Amino acid sequence: MSHFPVSSSNLSAPHLALFVQSHYNAADSATCHLIKSGVNDTYQVTTSAGKYIFRVYSLHWRTRADISEELRLLLLLKEGGIPVSWPLADKQGGFIQTLPAPEGERYGVLFSFAEGEKLLHYDDELHIKAGMVMARMHQLTQPFTLNRVTYTAQNLLVEPLESLKKFLPADTPEMVFMATAQAHLLQLLKDADLAAIRQGVVHMDIWFDNMNIRPDGEITLFDFDFCGNGWQCLDVAYYILQLHSLIRDMPECQVKIDRFLEGYSVITPLSAEEQRLIPALGVCMYFFYLGVQCDRYHNWSNSFLNEAYLKRFINVLVKRYYDLYLQNASLVNP
């Protein structure tokens, strides 16, 4: 009998191992296991020659052109000496695979393995180094334009709130707050001094979950799935936002922020306008990723995405950050 249609699937890890073994210049044997199923599916492939990462993009999540631009950026960064996980070519010299999944054709890419481990908490020197790596990436890609999304107020603030409206009624306290905050943020972005803000390539997701740290302190960035064009201080704002969410002791958090900014400024300074906007851009990033979750799991297919989760996210993270820092103080010491 024919299979019942599906909207999402996890591809068989043993069969992906055989696929990699067949299509790439891998060793005679390979094993594979799923290490993360999220917006996309991430597999670790292990051969006698070493470890690799195979990403399977979700159906219709990225176009082939989107992925090609992501890979073009990664190769540029590798060539420029930025420590990243980069795409690996198959036997024919291609980078993007087309996989006939039950729900439709999905794309797959094999990446180099980022040595080290994800560290939830790390010392001040590593925050300095993380700032330097980010700044070097920004400096290298400032004149570079990707044929991908450009992040603006529309896709950072307007579209995410529309997505959220499908899950929470407009008269809930959380949505009333989000609408008020959105109006404030839109005005702040409209009034920004564009001449004092660097435009270029942005990663949009640099935090502990997307960087591996080796025992010798070397950092490798990966997961450029959200890369695009925009204000480069968005990356700075997101890193600081994540520090704030992870470290609730505020004096300790501020020390980590200061060390990160110290490292960043060694390579390239933040303008006074970029510093002023960082708290607002942090809240914009919360809006954006709430929208991503609602769009990706629009049918409540993720058990963690429910009304209680969204309300808690807004109250514990978004509103707390907005109330503490946006109007009355700055996370950045000019």
Side-chain angles (χ1 to χ4, degrees):
M1 63 177 290
S2 61
H3 294 290
F4 196 89
V6 301
S7 59
S8 180
S9 67
N10 293 130
L11 303 188
S12 163
H15 289 85
L16 279 178
L18 294 174
F19 180 89
V20 171
Q21 188 178 337
S22 169
H23 287 71
Y24 292 84
N25 294 311
D28 293 337
S29 63
T31 60
C32 176
H33 68 278
L34 179 67
I35 59 175
K36 185 177 182 181
S37 182
V39 172
N40 300 303
D41 295 332
T42 305
Y43 296 80
Q44 179 177 311
V45 178
T46 303
T47 75
S48 58
K51 300 176 183 177
Y52 308 91
I53 292 296
F54 194 85
R55 178 196 290 165
V56 181
Y57 293 81
S58 296
L59 183 69
H60 304 318
W61 179 246
R62 302 293 183 210
T63 66
R64 191 179 186 93
D66 287 336
I67 298 170
S68 294
E69 285 295 278
E70 175 191 351
L71 305 187
R72 183 167 72 95
L73 171 63
L74 288 170
L75 293 172
L76 172 83
L77 294 175
K78 178 179 180 290
E79 183 70 21
I82 308 300
V84 296
S85 169
W86 65 88
L88 300 170
D90 61 20
K91 291 178 179 178
Q92 283 70 46
F95 290 100
I96 302 174
Q97 309 299 332
T98 301
L99 306 167
E103 64 269 33
E105 290 187 340
R106 296 172 63 180
Y107 297 117
V109 175
L110 187 69
F111 294 91
S112 66
F113 187 80
E115 296 293 341
E117 61 179 328
K118 300 176 182 179
L119 299 180
L120 187 61
H121 298 285
Y122 41 93
D123 62 35
D124 294 355
E125 290 302 313
L126 285 173
H127 285 289
I128 292 174
K129 185 170 290 187
M132 295 175 69
V133 170
M134 183 188 292
R136 286 171 52 211
M137 182 187 76
H138 286 167
Q139 194 174 61
L140 178 66
T141 60
Q142 194 169 343
F144 193 67
T145 301
L146 290 174
N147 186 23
R148 278 179 65 115
V149 60
T150 294
Y151 290 101
T152 66
Q154 179 68 24
N155 48 36
L156 289 173
L157 291 169
V158 177
E159 293 170 7
L161 192 59
E162 290 303 309
S163 297
L164 193 57
K165 287 177 181 178
K166 301 171 186 176
F167 291 83
L168 294 179
D171 59 352
T172 61
E174 291 77 14
M175 287 300 287
V176 170
F177 159 74
M178 292 293 282
T180 301
Q182 183 203 58
H184 184 195
L185 292 164
L186 286 170
Q187 190 62 49
L188 285 173
L189 299 192
K190 181 181 178 181
D191 294 340
D193 180 4
L194 299 183
I197 302 172
R198 290 163 302 140
Q199 177 90 14
V201 170
V202 287
H203 182 291
M204 292 292 285
D205 203 12
I206 296 179
W207 64 308
F208 85 92
D209 202 41
N210 288 329
M211 48 190 250
N212 275 2
I213 301 174
R214 297 190 331 207
D216 63 2
E218 289 304 306
I219 294 173
T220 303
L221 302 179
F222 50 87
D223 196 354
F224 281 67
D225 184 45
F226 286 97
C227 69
N229 311 291
W231 295 353
Q232 293 186 316
C233 50
L234 280 164
D235 283 338
V236 177
Y238 188 69
Y239 188 94
I240 290 175
L241 184 74
Q242 291 298 339
L243 283 176
H244 172 265
S245 67
L246 290 170
I247 306 172
R248 292 307 175 92
D249 180 83
M250 293 317 300
E252 178 187 356
C253 182
Q254 189 62 55
V255 169
K256 305 295 186 186
I257 291 169
D258 291 344
R259 297 292 78 77
F260 165 72
L261 292 170
E262 176 186 334
Y264 191 95
S265 298
V266 166
I267 306 300
T268 182
L270 289 161
S271 70
E273 181 70 345
E274 289 172 327
Q275 294 177 44
R276 184 183 73 84
L277 288 168
I278 279 175
L281 294 178
V283 182
C284 289
M285 294 295 277
Y286 269 143
F287 268 75
F288 174 70
Y289 277 109
L290 273 173
V292 167
Q293 292 180 57
C294 292
D295 291 341
R296 175 63 181 89
Y297 304 111
H298 56 86
N299 58 356
W300 299 104
S301 60
N302 186 315
S303 61
F304 292 102
L305 184 66
N306 52 50
E307 186 171 335
Y309 165 82
L310 291 173
K311 288 183 175 181
R312 182 177 182 276
F313 190 107
I314 291 168
N315 286 313
V316 175
L317 295 176
V318 187
K319 191 173 188 303
R320 181 175 182 271
Y321 191 88
Y322 181 93
D323 289 345
L324 284 175
Y325 298 113
L326 185 55
Q327 299 182 75
N328 301 320
S330 172
L331 284 170
V332 179
N333 297 316

